[in-house]
Amino acid sequence: MPTGFRPAVILAAGLISGAALAPDSGFAQEGEIQIPPAEKISNQVAVFSGLDKITGRIISFDVYIDETVQFGALQVTPRVCYSRPSTEAPLTDAFVEVDEITLNRKVRRIFSGWMFADSPGLHAVDHAVYDVWLTDCSSTSSVAPPPDR
C-alpha cells in the first residue's frame, strides 16, 4: 500500500470503530474523543537571532515584551511570546513588529505578524541587509529588564 494512503486508512478505521475527534465545541459527543487545547505560557522575553549579511555574523538577542531593540537598521518589538509546557510538543510563537530606519531617517514598518520558532524561514524578516527570526520565548533574561518592570 502506498504511504500516501495510510492516514486516510487510519482515519477511516477510526470512523468505522465509532471513535472520532470532537469538534472544538468544548463538549464531547457520544463515541467521540475530546482533545483539550494545549496550554499557552505567556513569557516576558522573546529571543531572536539576527544575521548581518554584510559581515556574515549571527547574533542572538533578548527583547522584553513591548520593548524595542535595534538590530542594525531594524527596530524589533515583540508584543506577545507564547510557548508550551515541556510535556507538550514544542510550539513557540510571538507577535512581532519590525520597523526599518531608512537612510533619510524615516521609520517604515516592514513586518507585523506572527513568527514561529519551529519555522524560521516561514515568517522571518528577510531584509536586504539583515534577517531576524524568533528562536525562543523565556520568562527571564540575562539582560536587565526595562526600568518600569
Side-chain angles (χ1 to χ4, degrees):
M1 173 183 288
T3 58
F5 291 103
R6 293 182 74 77
V9 171
I10 293 170
L11 177 61
L15 293 174
I16 291 170
S17 71
L21 298 179
D24 195 17
S25 63
F27 300 101
Q29 304 291 327
E30 184 178 345
E32 293 180 332
I33 300 168
Q34 184 175 9
I35 299 174
E39 173 189 343
K40 286 184 177 182
I41 299 171
S42 184
N43 296 281
Q44 293 300 310
V45 179
V47 182
F48 295 93
S49 283
L51 167 66
D52 181 332
K53 294 177 184 178
I54 303 297
T55 64
R57 291 186 352 163
I58 297 176
I59 66 163
S60 179
F61 55 97
D62 298 352
V63 186
Y64 283 87
I65 300 302
D66 291 326
E67 293 296 319
T68 300
V69 167
Q70 188 157 342
F71 173 66
L74 304 181
Q75 294 181 333
V76 180
T77 309
R79 298 298 179 188
V80 294
C81 198
Y82 296 122
S83 59
R84 305 295 183 273
S86 58
T87 57
E88 298 285 331
L91 180 60
T92 303
D93 53 352
F95 189 84
V96 182
E97 296 171 346
V98 179
D99 298 322
E100 176 188 30
I101 302 172
T102 63
L103 293 175
N104 48 348
R105 300 177 195 234
K106 303 274 189 224
V107 176
R108 180 174 58 114
R109 172 86 21 103
I110 61 169
F111 181 85
S112 181
W114 290 95
M115 287 186 180
F116 303 95
D118 295 352
S119 309
L122 185 61
H123 293 284
V125 174
D126 185 16
H127 181 263
V129 180
Y130 305 101
D131 287 353
V132 175
W133 62 94
L134 178 72
T135 58
D136 201 6
C137 293
S138 178
S139 58
T140 62
S141 173
S142 60
V143 176
D148 61 341
R149 292 188 189 235

